[in-house]
Amino acid sequence: MIIAIDGPSGAGKSTVAKAVARELGFSCLDTGAMYRAVAWRASEDGISFEDDAALGELARTYDIDFKHEEGDPLPRRVLIGGVDVTDAIRTAEIDRAVSPVSAAPSVRAALVDQQRRIGRAGDYVVEGRDIGTTVFPEAEVKVFLTASAEERAHRRVRQNVDRGVGSIDYDEVLADIRRRDDYDSSRATSPLRPADDAVQLDSTGHYIEEIIREIVSLACAKGAAPESEDAQ
Ligand code: DC
């Protein structure tokens, strides 16, 4: 089964995707991390973010892998070409680079192929922007998760403080979120928009646990079975 969770940056997709995966015994795939990894490699190699052909070549050449830490059923480490970039892809520089890189049609084609290959191998919660519309239009459960830009900026600042990477300046983070919303929604290839059959959930002012419960029950209605306490 595929559970697609799409929505803008900072809506809580990662937290929700991991929790839902844990409850249902699914794996999860963070497609944003894949675009970030390609943006990191491109910036290391000095490739222009406007050069669609070179970016596509790069996305096809380097393998992106997700690795588990010991005792954790969910993958947390991201590697590109064997280099662990888990922390390096969360900087303000990559926040900026990833918009043009993820808008490159040849990068999208290469990564969508990889995402389909990974997701079809089992039960997955897949989070991104175009999962319900383009990558897995046949997904059994589709959720479009949103929250106000202000709430998302507050969450991103807290997350950056916890991680010790990225900007912790609220106004800067809010401006970046607004810039990325505009960019992601207006690009020509796979713009950010809810699938016609997606359930739209707004996490502003809601406990994230309510959202998690709602998605788990949507999945159960489609035949998923929650893991028992002892099975975890
Ligand atoms: O979810 P995130 O903020 O880590 O995503 C990073 C960037 O990648 C974001 O600017 C949008 C883009 N992205 C995309 O275009 N398609 C996806 N399926 C996932 C992310």
Side-chain angles (χ1 to χ4, degrees):
M1 178 184 289
I2 297 284
I3 300 175
I5 303 184
D6 290 303
S9 169
K13 297 189 300 293
S14 287
T15 308
V16 167
K18 288 193 181 83
V20 169
R22 211 173 279 117
E23 286 211 22
L24 295 174
F26 283 24
S27 193
C28 65
L29 177 62
D30 174 0
T31 61
M34 299 174 76
Y35 289 98
R36 286 172 179 276
V38 171
W40 177 84
R41 190 66 260 173
S43 103
E44 289 291 298
D45 292 354
I47 292 175
S48 159
F49 300 147
E50 312 303 320
D51 188 343
D52 183 64
L55 291 171
E57 169 79 23
L58 188 153
R60 286 188 298 274
T61 307
Y62 287 95
D63 285 332
I64 299 173
D65 295 307
F66 290 90
K67 289 250 152 60
H68 297 252
E69 277 167 11
E70 225 177 275
D72 190 345
L74 298 178
R76 304 245 180 221
R77 317 280 329 160
V78 191
L79 289 83
I80 182 161
V83 181
D84 188 323
V85 292
T86 312
D87 296 323
I89 60 172
R90 301 291 163 191
T91 62
E93 186 196 341
I94 299 300
D95 280 351
R96 279 189 295 274
V98 72
S99 289
V101 169
S102 63
S106 60
V107 171
R108 300 206 72 83
L111 294 191
V112 166
D113 265 1
Q114 287 193 40
Q115 290 157 12
R116 290 188 177 137
R117 224 172 312 122
I118 296 171
R120 283 182 183 141
D123 291 320
Y124 267 87
V125 182
V126 186
E127 55 150 313
R129 304 292 190 286
D130 59 342
I131 309 305
T133 51
T134 305
V135 185
F136 293 111
E138 74 284 14
E140 286 86 344
V141 177
K142 296 183 190 179
V143 171
F144 195 81
L145 186 62
T146 51
S148 71
E150 291 76 10
E151 174 132 348
R152 290 186 281 132
H154 279 299
R155 288 187 196 152
R156 184 51 55 93
V157 168
R158 276 201 299 273
Q159 203 176 54
N160 288 350
V161 168
D162 290 347
R163 283 183 176 141
V165 284
S167 172
I168 56 167
D169 179 310
Y170 172 78
D171 291 329
E172 188 185 346
V173 170
L174 180 61
D176 180 64
I177 280 181
R178 292 208 166 115
R179 183 188 57 75
R180 278 207 282 158
D181 282 357
D182 284 348
Y183 203 106
D184 293 347
S185 319
S186 60
R187 70 179 175 218
T189 315
S190 293
L192 173 67
R193 65 165 183 85
D196 293 338
D197 51 351
V199 175
Q200 298 204 38
L201 300 174
D202 187 331
S203 68
T204 314
H206 285 275
Y207 287 111
I208 219 81
E209 285 72 21
E210 291 174 39
I211 306 276
I212 294 163
R213 253 201 320 276
E214 171 94 38
I215 301 175
V216 167
S217 73
L218 287 170
C220 291
K222 296 280 181 176
E227 297 247 288
S228 74
E229 290 284 299
D230 328 18
Q232 290 188 19

